[in-house]
Amino acid sequence: MTAAALKVKSTPMGPYIDLMQDMTREQKMIVVSFLTESMQEPETAKSKGEIIREKYKNLEISPEIKRLRGCIKLTDEDLKDERVKYILDK
């Protein structure tokens, strides 16, 4: 067994070594692709709030909707929703 294989045995992937030896080249390439992608640094993740604000920043609220403000009863959960906050702040 090579030094690399011995190192793999000491990781959580160790139990899968026998399984991987029986895999086809194509299957191994799929696994390598997955492992490579999982090692890449994620882009700076935006919060849900940032994504929603960006999505709705040019949203025009119709006069009919503006007129309805204050006419609905919102739960605490509704008030925490970024989309609802955005519409209420317009």
Side-chain angles (χ1 to χ4, degrees):
M1 200 174 277
T2 66
L6 289 174
K7 285 182 183 178
V8 171
K9 268 199 165 202
S10 67
T11 70
M13 288 290 293
Y16 300 102
I17 287 197
D18 293 332
L19 177 66
M20 289 188 290
Q21 288 175 342
D22 295 333
M23 291 169 58
T24 66
R25 180 177 176 80
E26 182 180 340
Q27 292 169 331
K28 289 177 183 177
M29 289 301 290
I30 292 169
V31 172
V32 169
S33 296
F34 169 77
L35 293 173
T36 304
E37 286 177 15
S38 71
M39 291 173 54
Q40 293 178 359
E41 292 293 322
E43 294 181 18
T44 53
K46 295 180 181 178
S47 71
K48 287 183 182 179
E50 290 172 328
I51 293 169
I52 291 169
R53 278 190 288 281
E54 196 173 289
K55 184 177 179 180
Y56 291 110
K57 70 180 175 186
N58 296 321
L59 177 70
E60 291 295 321
I61 307 296
S62 69
E64 293 83 18
I65 298 295
K66 285 183 179 180
R67 186 173 44 84
L68 291 175
R69 274 194 218 162
C71 298
I72 59 173
K73 183 174 179 160
L74 299 172
T75 65
D76 288 335
E77 187 176 319
D78 293 333
L79 292 173
K80 291 176 185 173
D81 187 301
E82 288 292 326
R83 294 168 290 195
V84 173
K85 283 183 192 178
Y86 181 83
I87 291 171
L88 292 175
D89 289 340
K90 278 283 193 177

